[in-house]
Amino acid sequence: MISIRSSREIDLLEHAGHIVYLTHEYLKPYIKAGITTHELDKLAHDFIISQDATPSCLGYEGFPASICTSVNQEIVHGIPGNRKLKNGDIISIDIVACYKGYHGDSAWTYAVGEIDDDSKYLLEHTKKALYVGLKEIKPGARIGDIGSAIQEYATTHHLGVVKELVGHGVGTDMHEEPDVPNYGVKGSGPILKEGMVIAVEPMLTFGSPEICILDDDWTIETEDYSRAAHFEHTVVVTKEGYKILTGGEHDKSE
Ligand code: MF3
Ligand code: CO
């Protein structure tokens, strides 16, 4: 069953989403060569707590940190550790926060210093793929419309679409129904209704989209070691379309 949220619940989801947005903004100036992913995790943890929220990832199915940090060929679920970021790296930071029982979920891929043109291309077009997917959202549209738009955009730009990992509903659980794949067929899948809340999260690769799970049982990376990017927003379906809950002023007027 896909939940339809009341306006009170949407306010709480918006608050949680805003905390996630603020956490990304707080971390941005620290994303530089020399910082470790563990230090970023600690900063995010303390910031989320300071906002009267909790980091939803911490302890989720045993995950040992507050955020996921996935560097270069890592796609998602990287565990923060002693690795120091280097100039030219890209890092995907996935943040989920819970406020009064409601979650917000957003991932963003950042450049560390100066990155090469291929990485710039990957970041630019994965971010664009997120907004191309979001544009499909309105009451009466279907989940497959989102995935088909993302897949078409990615394929046109010669980027790989990771199929094993999908977006999801967001609410009192971090992962709820429905699945929101980054591929699909227009006109197929569940129908979107006003008040549904979903996370759309394209994960695109510069090379092959085949994945590999590391021995830590969490980190997922590309099999061919090509770089991957991940952009994610939590949104609510509105009467006219959708509203981004994890974005800034710019996103709110999108
Ligand atoms: N946004 C990530 C996801 O949807 C959050 C993962 S938290 C973790 O998969 F604990 F599972 F890593
Ligand atoms: Co997510």
Side-chain angles (χ1 to χ4, degrees), residues 155-225:
T155 308
T156 307
H157 291 86
H158 312 288
L159 295 171
V161 178
V162 174
K163 298 222 167 60
E164 291 84 351
L165 300 151
V166 296
H168 48 92
V170 181
T172 49
D173 283 321
M174 170 163 80
H175 294 140
E176 298 192 355
E177 284 180 52
D179 278 355
V180 184
N182 297 302
Y183 57 91
V185 178
K186 214 173 161 43
S188 72
I191 297 174
L192 294 170
K193 298 191 179 126
E194 189 181 348
M196 287 180 177
V197 176
I198 58 172
V200 178
E201 48 178 320
M203 288 152 267
L204 305 185
T205 62
F206 198 76
S208 156
E210 296 308 312
I211 65 165
C212 184
I213 303 178
L214 300 196
D215 287 343
D216 64 18
D217 280 340
W218 277 105
T219 314
I220 298 180
E221 65 179 32
T222 56
E223 203 173 67
D224 66 0
Y225 233 60

Side-chain angles (χ1 to χ4, degrees), residues 39-247:
E39 286 166 326
L40 291 172
D41 179 58
K42 170 89 175 107
L43 287 163
H45 174 272
D46 293 352
F47 183 81
I48 291 168
I49 299 289
S50 79
Q51 302 295 306
D52 294 326
T54 52
S56 312
C57 291
L58 187 59
Y60 178 82
E61 292 181 9
F63 191 76
S66 297
I67 58 172
C68 301
T69 53
S70 310
V71 180
N72 297 340
Q73 81 287 352
E74 296 170 358
I75 308 165
V76 288
H77 299 168
I79 303 175
N82 294 329
R83 178 186 195 143
K84 274 195 168 80
L85 296 183
K86 294 201 297 287
N87 192 36
D89 283 344
I90 57 172
I91 179 170
S92 302
I93 298 188
D94 196 342
I95 304 175
V96 192
C98 183
Y99 178 77
K100 296 198 171 153
Y102 290 83
H103 299 266
D105 185 358
S106 171
W108 216 252
T109 304
Y110 299 98
V112 181
E114 198 52 40
I115 58 172
D116 63 28
D117 287 348
D118 288 352
S119 300
K120 280 184 194 152
Y121 180 92
L122 174 67
L123 265 52
E124 179 190 335
H125 292 296
T126 308
K127 191 204 290 188
K128 190 69 199 296
L130 166 61
Y131 289 95
V132 163
L134 292 177
K135 280 213 165 57
E136 297 294 320
I137 299 176
K138 57 174 191 268
R142 287 174 180 264
I143 288 290
D145 300 347
I146 302 171
S148 120
I150 291 174
Q151 183 174 31
E152 191 186 318
Y153 185 85
T155 308
T156 307
H157 291 86
H158 312 288
L159 295 171
V161 178
V162 174
K163 298 222 167 60
E164 291 84 351
L165 300 151
V166 296
H168 48 92
V170 181
T172 49
D173 283 321
M174 170 163 80
H175 294 140
E176 298 192 355
E177 284 180 52
D179 278 355
V180 184
N182 297 302
Y183 57 91
V185 178
K186 214 173 161 43
S188 72
I191 297 174
L192 294 170
K193 298 191 179 126
E194 189 181 348
M196 287 180 177
V197 176
I198 58 172
V200 178
E201 48 178 320
M203 288 152 267
L204 305 185
T205 62
F206 198 76
S208 156
E210 296 308 312
I211 65 165
C212 184
I213 303 178
L214 300 196
D215 287 343
D216 64 18
D217 280 340
W218 277 105
T219 314
I220 298 180
E221 65 179 32
T222 56
E223 203 173 67
D224 66 0
Y225 233 60
S226 67
R227 288 186 167 196
H230 182 202
F231 287 84
E232 171 183 33
H233 270 315
T234 302
V235 307
V236 58
V237 182
T238 61
K239 211 186 276 339
E240 308 78 32
Y242 65 95
K243 181 181 186 189
I244 296 176
L245 302 180
T246 46

